[in-house]
Amino acid sequence: MSRPKNQNYKGHGLSKGKEREQRASIRFKTTLMNTLMDVLRHRPGWVEVKDEGEWDFYWCDVSWLRENFDHTYMDEHVRISHFRNHYELTRKNYMVKNLKRFRKQLEREAGKLEAAKCDFFPKTFEMPCEYHLFVEEFRKNPGITWIMKPVARSQGKGIFLFRRLKDIMDWRKGTAGKKITSLEAQPTRSTVNPSGNHDTRGSDDQKDEIPVENYVAQRYIENPYLIGGRKFDLRVYVLVISYIPLRAWLYRDGFARFSNTRFTLNSIDDQYVHLTNVAVQKTSPDYHPEKGCKWMLQRFRQYLASKHGPKVVETLFSDMDNIFVKSLQSVQKVIISDKHCFELYGYDILIDQDLKPWLLEVNASPSLTASSQEDYELKTCLLEDTLHVVDMEARLTGREKRVGGFDLMWNDGPVSREDGTPDLPGMGNFVTNTHLGCINDRKTQLRQLFHSLQGQKKASS
């Protein structure tokens, strides 16, 4: 980033010329008092910076980004945890707008078959600006269920289901969804990590605030895949290091989040049936804090394989890979790709009875607060591996296809699982380098990786 001409800037980092040198200490800053703080404080050679001190690494929230990014001078090596206009993918209405535009572009350039690979999000209308288009669609399919979501809120706040236009009229007057939005009136519970830290941020996703009148009306998936009669969605983590060229990593671990109540379409006002957000489910009268409502993705993948066979599961997980790549490509030309930025996205995926995955939303700040010991361990490893890939210590060569639990999924093109196979699409034996829900032997891999890197360094010196 160039130095602002008016000289009214805050400088961060070391002097130029030291960009890729290994640094003895890395100064970090964050406002998030949860698992992230534990990981940063325990990282060898990393030192916490308070208040206005100079920093090399800042895991910031999006409100800081909005207010400061354009006025902050950063040296080459400095990194922050968001892209400037991340909301092009993480705000519900923008995500759909970009996906629709990308689908049309693919149809023009590559034909209908390629464009159909973008058919992974439910029919969606932005409200109130597309109200008349929505009404037209609503009247074509009477009796189906729709879901209304505020575009920039999280934790299930403001969401309601409906089947009558009268409910939309009530919403426009500000009286709809009272049963489900009453959740907002409840006090936010402070969650305790096993480490003893409290996370007082009651938000799963700190997004740029916009007026709550902006909603999306989305066709509700009425036939979700059920386990034990209960609905669930998947939380999957994707790390983007660069948009130009697009370089994205997929984490092996994640989890399925279950609703606490058996699924039925007979009670569309019951949030415990339809909303899988942990923030919603933990307010359920029969919620069990130790047991929780989560399965690790490995358990979920094994369950599906035992029920449907490994081939069917491979297809499902390959369809999910397609969602991650196509959604990132849809914003590749509109995101401001700054070399100082990276982003850890939390993808929410719903699977229907036909084992088709649907993209519900992408979170810019997926919750890093742990709801159980297992959850804490997953998030600790996820964050440690994120820092390994971001590589403030300048230890990696840039040719790695795996770092801990992260597998390089896209590197300006698809990445092959097999070493030595040219990374070109359309090849018969090509298998994408993704292992979502597979065994995550990250400790062994990291030991081997850093041992190998040390050996290379000694040999070259």
Side-chain angles (χ1 to χ4, degrees):
M1 187 185 298
S2 60
R3 196 178 288 253
K5 287 178 185 171
N6 63 8
Q7 299 297 306
N8 181 23
Y9 65 88
K10 295 175 187 173
H12 293 285
L14 304 176
S15 60
K16 295 217 172 183
K18 294 190 181 177
E19 297 115 19
R20 293 304 296 168
E21 283 180 25
Q22 293 204 353
R23 284 171 289 281
S25 79
I26 289 150
R27 299 161 298 178
F28 75 86
K29 189 174 177 180
T30 186
T31 52
L32 304 177
M33 297 301 294
N34 51 29
T35 315
L36 175 68
M37 184 61 91
D38 292 355
V39 170
L40 291 170
R41 282 179 175 162
H42 285 104
R43 196 161 178 86
W46 286 49
V47 182
E48 188 177 355
V49 170
K50 304 278 188 183
D51 306 320
E52 293 303 303
E54 280 202 10
W55 43 268
D56 306 307
F57 179 94
Y58 190 9
W59 197 294
C60 62
D61 56 35
V62 296
S63 57
W64 179 91
L65 192 81
R66 190 172 56 241
E67 289 160 23
N68 299 286
F69 186 89
D70 295 334
H71 316 291
T72 304
Y73 168 74
M74 287 178 272
D75 280 330
E76 280 293 310
H77 73 282
V78 168
R79 295 289 179 269
I80 61 170
S81 61
H82 295 288
F83 287 93
R84 175 65 185 88
N85 57 338
H86 64 89
Y87 47 77
E88 292 286 351
L89 183 61
T90 59
R91 202 181 276 169
K92 298 173 186 78
N93 54 336
Y94 288 0
M95 179 188 86
V96 170
K97 176 197 75 176
N98 284 314
L99 281 167
K100 284 178 177 175
R101 177 185 46 72
F102 185 58
R103 192 192 189 288
K104 282 178 186 168
Q105 179 194 326
L106 280 179
E107 194 165 336
R108 278 195 314 272
E109 295 172 4
K112 288 190 174 179
L113 220 63
E114 192 61 29
K117 290 180 184 173
C118 286
D119 293 341
F120 50 70
F121 59 100
K123 197 170 275 285
T124 306
F125 298 90
E126 189 173 351
M127 307 291 258
C129 63
E130 294 183 324
Y131 176 73
H132 296 295
L133 289 172
F134 162 73
V135 170
E136 203 177 297
E137 182 67 26
F138 182 91
R139 288 182 172 144
K140 276 188 211 166
N141 300 281
I144 68 163
T145 310
W146 291 80
I147 185 166
M148 283 283 277
K149 304 175 183 177
V151 300
R153 280 196 268 176
S154 58
Q155 297 189 315
K157 292 175 183 174
I159 294 177
F160 63 95
L161 276 62
F162 67 96
R163 292 194 186 114
R164 304 173 305 166
L165 272 181
K166 179 187 178 299
D167 296 331
I168 289 287
M169 302 312 291
D170 290 345
W171 165 76
R172 293 182 93 184
K173 293 172 194 162
T175 58
K178 288 295 180 195
K179 287 181 188 174
I180 285 184
T181 56
S182 65
L183 176 71
E184 294 170 64
Q186 298 176 13
T188 304
R189 297 184 184 183
S190 175
T191 309
V192 184
N193 279 337
S195 65
N197 281 341
H198 287 259
D199 186 5
T200 52
R201 291 180 165 271
S203 170
D204 183 56
D205 191 2
Q206 313 118 23
K207 294 179 181 171
D208 291 26
E209 291 172 18
I210 72 161
V212 294
E213 290 78 28
N214 288 290
Y215 270 63
V216 289
Q218 200 168 63
R219 188 162 176 167
Y220 186 63
I221 309 291
E222 293 183 317
N223 65 330
Y225 189 96
L226 305 177
I227 295 179
R230 295 182 301 158
K231 181 184 170 182
F232 64 91
D233 69 0
L234 305 180
R235 166 58 59 86
V236 180
Y237 298 100
V238 174
L239 175 62
V240 176
I241 295 298
S242 157
Y243 269 99
I244 300 173
L246 182 58
R247 189 169 167 85
W249 300 73
L250 180 65
Y251 204 61
R252 295 186 172 205
D253 288 332
F255 46 84
R257 302 179 295 192
F258 286 86
S259 65
N260 217 39
T261 311
R262 290 177 74 84
F263 182 78
T264 173
L265 283 169
N266 296 333
S267 53
I268 62 171
D269 289 332
D270 189 339
Q271 62 192 9
Y272 301 124
V273 171
H274 301 285
L275 305 185
T276 56
N277 312 62
V278 175
V280 172
Q281 292 299 326
K282 71 182 182 187
T283 64
S284 167
D286 52 353
Y287 176 75
H288 195 295
E290 285 303 307
K291 198 173 162 193
C293 299
K294 290 180 179 178
W295 271 14
M296 292 298 113
L297 270 183
Q298 207 177 323
R299 181 182 176 189
F300 171 70
R301 185 167 184 146
Q302 286 166 349
Y303 172 87
L304 285 185
S306 66
K307 239 187 149 191
H308 303 281
K311 273 194 175 177
V312 171
V313 173
E314 276 292 336
T315 302
L316 167 64
F317 277 73
S318 170
D319 289 346
M320 283 198 271
D321 293 344
N322 172 66
I323 290 179
F324 308 136
V325 171
K326 290 284 190 291
S327 59
L328 295 172
Q329 287 177 325
S330 77
V331 296
Q332 191 178 3
K333 289 180 179 173
V334 291
I335 292 272
I336 300 163
S337 186
D338 189 293
K339 64 189 171 189
H340 299 100
C341 306
F342 68 93
E343 191 110 33
L344 179 65
Y345 293 108
Y347 273 72
D348 292 345
I349 307 280
L350 183 81
I351 294 164
D352 69 18
Q353 284 171 2
D354 302 320
L355 292 179
K356 173 183 167 72
W358 297 87
L359 176 59
L360 299 181
E361 67 176 294
V362 183
N363 295 281
S365 302
S367 173
L368 300 175
T369 302
S371 57
S372 68
Q373 182 63 37
E374 193 175 32
D375 199 30
Y376 180 75
E377 285 164 13
L378 182 151
K379 285 170 179 170
T380 300
C381 296
L382 167 74
L383 290 167
E384 283 175 0
D385 291 345
T386 299
L387 299 181
H388 290 322
V389 175
V390 172
D391 192 29
M392 290 300 295
E393 295 90 348
R395 292 180 293 186
L396 303 180
T397 63
R399 296 186 297 276
E400 291 80 8
K401 284 163 69 167
R402 183 181 175 195
V403 176
F406 275 111
D407 297 292
L408 184 60
M409 169 173 58
W410 195 267
N411 188 18
D412 203 21
V415 179
S416 163
R417 192 176 291 184
E418 297 302 318
D419 285 331
T421 307
D423 293 342
L424 294 169
M427 294 187 65
N429 298 328
F430 188 90
V431 183
T432 310
N433 183 44
T434 53
H435 302 265
L436 185 60
C438 296
I439 289 170
N440 186 5
D441 54 339
R442 57 179 292 278
K443 282 187 178 173
T444 306
Q445 196 276 339
L446 287 169
R447 228 180 0 257
Q448 289 169 349
L449 173 66
F450 288 120
H451 181 71
S452 155
L453 290 169
Q454 263 183 329
Q456 287 173 38
K457 195 182 169 194
K458 278 179 188 170
S460 64
S461 60

